[in-house]
Amino acid sequence: MSDKERVLKFHILRYNPQIKGDVPTMKTYEVTEAPGMTIFIALNDIRENHDPSLQFDFICRAGICGSCAMIINGHPDLACRTLTSKFPDGEIKLLPLPGFELIGDLSVNTGKFMRAMSERVESWIHDNYADSVDLDRLEERMDPDVADEIYELERCVECGCCVSACATKRMRDGFLTAVGFMRLARYALDPRDKRSDEEFYEIVGDDDGVFGCMTLLGCQDYCPKDLPHQTQIAYLRRRMALVK
Amino acid sequence: MKVVYTDSLVIGGGLAGLRIAIAARQRGFDSIVLSLMPAKRSHSAAAQGGMQASLGASIKGEGDNEDVHFEDTVKGSDWGCDQDVARMFVNTAPKAIRQLCAWGVPWSRVRKGDREVVINGQKVTITEKDEAHGLITSRDFGGTKKWRTCFTSDGTGHTMLYAMDNKAIQLGIQVHERKEAIALIHEDGVCYGAIVRDLITGELIAYVAKATTIATGGYGRLYAVTTNAVISEGIGNAIALETGIAPLGNMEAVQFHPTAIVPVGILTTEGCRGDGGLLLDKDGYRFMPDYEPGKKELASRDVVSRRMTEHIRKGKGVSSRYGDHLWLDITLLGRKHIEKNLREVKEICEYFLGIDPVTEYIPVRPTQHYSMGGVRTKATGESPTMKGLFSAGEAACWDMHGFNRLGGNSVAETVVAGMIVGEYVADYCAQNPLNINTKLIEKFMDRERGKISDLVTREKGENPFALKKEMQQIMMDKVGIFRNEADLTQAVEELKVLHQRSKNIALRHKITSSNPELVEAIRVPKMIRLAQCVAYGAMLRKESRGAHAREDYPERNDRDWLKRTLTFWPDENEDLPQVKYEELDVMKMEMPPGSRGYGVDNTIHHPDTEKRVAQLEETRKNNPTADRFEMQHLLNPLDIPEKFRGKNERIGRGFK
C-alpha cells in the first residue's frame, strides 16, 4: 500500500421524507482515506465532520447483524465490511437499498418487511408439544449432520440484499423473495417442525411464492453470507410441485 | 399526548428482553418490546462462541454438573458475585438450553466415535460415547473445569436470537422498532413506564406499564475501542441512574477480552483458544504457559488480558502503526475446523484484515468487551429501591458475574435471567394494578420535551460528537485494563468538566424528527454520567478484584472490599454520583473466598472466611450420607422458584 493518502469522493443520495418539500439529490463528500478504512468508518467521518444529519444504520460493524446493506457502486452489499481500498479510482456511490420503505438517506425499514415475512412463512417450530417439553429431561436427539445443515440455512442475517437484487420482486410486490424461501427451507428441513408439505404449499405454492421466481438469481449473486439460494429455490419448487 | 398502555414494557429487544416479554405473554400479560432496531439485529447476535450449561454430554464434559459450574462461576467472579443468584443460574441453565432446543436452535451435536482435537498445542484423539450421539455437544472455554460451552458452529448468539425472536413473533408480541426510551416515569419509588422518542418521526410517546424492564445490554461504547456494537451505549443504565433512586451496581467492573483484532476491535471468539488456538509474541513464542502454567491461554479473561498487557510492556509485543499487539495462532486447527466452527472468525479476518487465518496469525490485543456492572437488582430482577423496575442481561447487575464474567456465561445469563426474572415480572403484573395520574405522565413528558427544545434552539454550544470522543479517550487512557490513583483521579476531574460542558450542547442540524445529531445530543450527557460512575467507582475501590486491576493496590482485599459498589445520581446538578456499598456476607457463602487457581493469589482475607470454612467443614462432617443436592441445601438453603427447581438429567447419570 502506498503511504500517500487518497482523498475519496462519496456520492450519496440525500433525502429526508420527514421534511416537507425535501427532494432527493446526490451530494458529494470528500474524505481522506485511512489505512483499513471501511465505509462504516467513512460514513461516520462524514456525519461527524461534514454533515450531522446524514442517516445510515450500523449496529455490529462486523458483518454479523445485517443492518448496513446498501447499494455500493451499483451492487447491494454490507457497508461495514467493505474496505474503501477496494475502489481504485476512489469514487464511491451510495444509494439506499431498493425494495424497502425509505426512512431517510441510506436508512431503510428492513424490520417491517422482515417481520411481515416471518409472520407469512410462520417462521417458528410448529409442534404442539414444544411448550410442554419437560426441561429437566434430556433434549430430543438430532443427527449432528442435520443440525449442521439447518445451521447452514439459518445463517441468513435478514440484510435485504437478496430482496433488493430480485427482479421478480420489482414486478410483483407481494413476492416472498429469497429470504422467505430460505427461511421456509430451513423449517422444512428441521425434523422438529411438524408441518407437512401440504401446509408449506399453502404458504409458497403460488406465483407470489416459489413458482413466481424468474430464476434470475440476483439473490444468489449478492448474498453476503453466500447462502445456497439457487439450490434451495430449486429444491422447494420441486418439492412443492409434488404436492397433490 | 400520545400514551401507550401495556402490562409489561421491555426496553431492549435482545435475548434477555425478548425472553422476559415471552414469559409475561405466556402468563397472559400484554407485553411490548421497544428496540432501537429490528430485534434480530441486537448485539446478542454477536455472541459467536457459546452458552455455558452443564449438560455433560460430550466426553470432555463428563462429570460436569451444577456444582462444578457454580464453582467456576464464583471463582471467575473473584468472589464478587451474588452466590444465591449464581446457584439459581447454574441450576436453570440446562433447562434454558433445552427450551431453546425445543424452540428451534440447531445446537451442534455430539457425534459418536473418534475425533481429533487440539489440546495444549497437541493433536489428540478423543472418543465420544455411542449413547451420547445426537445430544447437545460442548467446547472448551476459559476458566472452566469441564468442556461446558454449548454452541451452534460459530453462530451461537445468532441462532439463539433468531429462535427467541421467532418465538416472540409466534406469540404475537409487538416489537416497536426504532424507539428509544429516554426517561423513566416514576413517583414515590414506583416505576410506571418510560418516555420514548420515535427515532423516525421524533415524536415523544409515553409508554405506561405495570412493570418496566431494562434489557439494553452493556456500556462498552464508553470506550474508544470496544468489541461492542455501536448501540451498546448504556442508555438503559443511564435512565435508571437518572431517577436518582435506582442504583447501578459495580459499574467499575469492566471486562477486557484478550483477542479483539487490531485496530478496529472486532472480536475473535474465545472459541479460538477453546478449540486449541495459541497466543504468541513478536518472536513467535508461546508465552502464556510461563505466566499461567495451569490454565495457560484458558485462564479467565481478566487474567489472560492482564498477562498479555504485561508481556507487551516487557517489549514482547509486535509493533504496528496502531500500537503494539500480539498474535493469535489458529493455524494449527486446520482448514476444515476453521471453515466450519470458526467461519465467522475467518470472514472477519478476510474482510477487515485481508488475511487468511488458516495460514496466517491474527493480530490481537485486549479490548473492552463486557460490562459486569449495571442496574442493581435483587435476585428477582427488581430494583431494590424502585418498585416495578426490573432489569436483566448485561444491562443488569443481577450479579452472577461479580468482577469478571466467564466466557459463555453471558448469553447463558440472558436466557436464564429472562426465564427467572420474566416470572417475577409476571407476578408483579398480577399483583399490582396500574394506578397512575396522567398529570405525572405529563410532567415527565414536558420535562423531556423541554430538554429537546433547548437542544434545537440553542444557538451556539458544544458539539456532541466531539464531547463523546473526548470521553471515550479519557476512559481508554485512564480507566483501562490496569488502573492507578493518579490516572483515575485525573479521569474523574476531566469527566466533571465534560459533564458541565455537556449541559451546553447545540446542534448544527436543528430539527426534532429523524436526526442523528439530536440522538447523539440526547445520549452523550447520559454516557458521561455513566463514565463518571465507572471512573469514580474505580478510583474509590482500593483493591484488585477480577477485571478491576489497581497497580497501586494489587491485592484482592476481602477484609475491606468484599462489597458491591452502588452508585446513585440524586441531584442532576452534581458532577459526581453518590456512592454506597453493599456488604457481601461471608457467613452465608456456600463457597467462601479462596484461591482462583489461576492469576496471582495475594488475597488479604476477610476475618469471617476461616470461620465460615470451618463451619462448612463441620456441616460436611456431620452429614456424611448427604448427596450433593442435600448437601447444597444444607450449605445454602435457597429459594429457587418452583418452576426451575427440578433436577437436571444427564446422559449416563440420570438425575444424580
Side-chain angles (χ1 to χ4, degrees), chain B residues 223 254 256 474-483 488 547 549:
Chain B
Y223 288 81
V254 175
F256 291 76
I474 294 170
M475 296 301 282
M476 280 300 275
D477 296 343
K478 301 184 176 111
V479 198
I481 191 163
F482 281 106
R483 302 166 173 183
L488 291 167

Side-chain angles (χ1 to χ4, degrees), chain B residues 483 485 539 541-545 548-556 602:
Chain B
R483 302 166 173 183
E485 191 79 19
M539 186 188 95
R541 183 173 283 274
K542 297 186 189 327
E543 67 152 354
S544 294
R545 183 180 300 276
H548 173 69
R550 287 282 301 250
E551 290 163 313
D552 39 359
Y553 299 95
E555 312 82 16
R556 185 181 91 206
N602 52 6

Side-chain angles (χ1 to χ4, degrees), chain A residues 102-206:
Chain A
L102 181 74
I103 290 172
D105 303 333
L106 301 171
S107 172
V108 295
N109 201 338
T110 51
K112 196 170 159 185
F113 178 96
M114 294 301 170
R115 170 91 183 202
M117 178 278 290
S118 288
E119 287 170 353
R120 183 164 159 195
V121 305
E122 302 187 7
S123 166
W124 52 85
I125 297 286
H126 286 57
D127 177 359
N128 293 336
Y129 300 103
D131 280 318
S132 46
V133 171
D134 183 347
L135 303 179
D136 296 341
R137 295 191 166 277
L138 292 184
E139 65 278 10
E140 206 174 312
R141 287 164 200 266
M142 183 182 274
D143 184 278
D145 291 328
V146 172
D148 290 349
E149 284 163 29
I150 296 169
Y151 175 62
E152 278 306 303
L153 306 190
E154 194 165 89
R155 289 168 44 245
C156 168
V157 295
E158 297 192 350
C159 63
C161 285
C162 60
V163 180
S164 73
C166 178
T168 311
K169 169 81 167 83
R170 217 57 76 75
M171 295 166 55
R172 191 182 271 284
D173 197 39
F175 186 57
L176 182 59
T177 74
V179 60
F181 299 138
M182 188 55 68
R183 186 62 51 79
L184 197 92
R186 176 246 174 274
Y187 283 97
L189 184 65
D190 195 325
R192 292 168 295 192
D193 193 316
K194 308 299 181 210
R195 276 180 283 186
S196 65
D197 278 1
E198 284 75 12
E199 288 170 277
F200 288 124
Y201 186 89
E202 287 301 315
I203 298 169
V204 289
D206 62 7

Side-chain angles (χ1 to χ4, degrees), chain B residues 574-619:
Chain B
E574 289 290 326
D575 289 323
L576 275 180
Q578 279 185 7
V579 173
K580 293 180 189 169
Y581 292 97
E582 184 186 348
E583 298 284 338
L584 273 64
D585 188 353
V586 175
M587 294 311 287
K588 284 196 177 136
M589 286 185 187
E590 188 179 334
M591 200 172 146
S595 161
R596 300 171 94 186
Y598 45 80
V600 182
D601 183 16
N602 52 6
T603 306
I604 300 171
H605 288 285
H606 192 280
D608 286 348
T609 300
E610 230 173 283
K611 245 187 285 174
R612 180 61 177 161
V613 171
Q615 203 180 50
L616 295 175
E617 263 326 296
E618 186 75 12
T619 310

Side-chain angles (χ1 to χ4, degrees), chain B residues 396-416:
Chain B
C397 180
W398 192 34
D399 218 4
M400 55 166 277
H401 305 305
F403 276 76
N404 176 64
R405 169 178 73 77
L406 293 183
N409 259 355
S410 67
V411 278
E413 180 189 17
T414 62
V415 292
V416 169

Side-chain angles (χ1 to χ4, degrees), chain B residues 428-446:
Chain B
Y428 186 88
C429 289
Q431 291 155 11
N432 294 276
L434 186 61
N435 184 5
I436 182 173
N437 192 326
T438 43
K439 256 194 202 159
L440 178 71
I441 307 174
E442 250 175 63
K443 183 181 106 181
F444 279 91
M445 188 67 115
D446 289 346

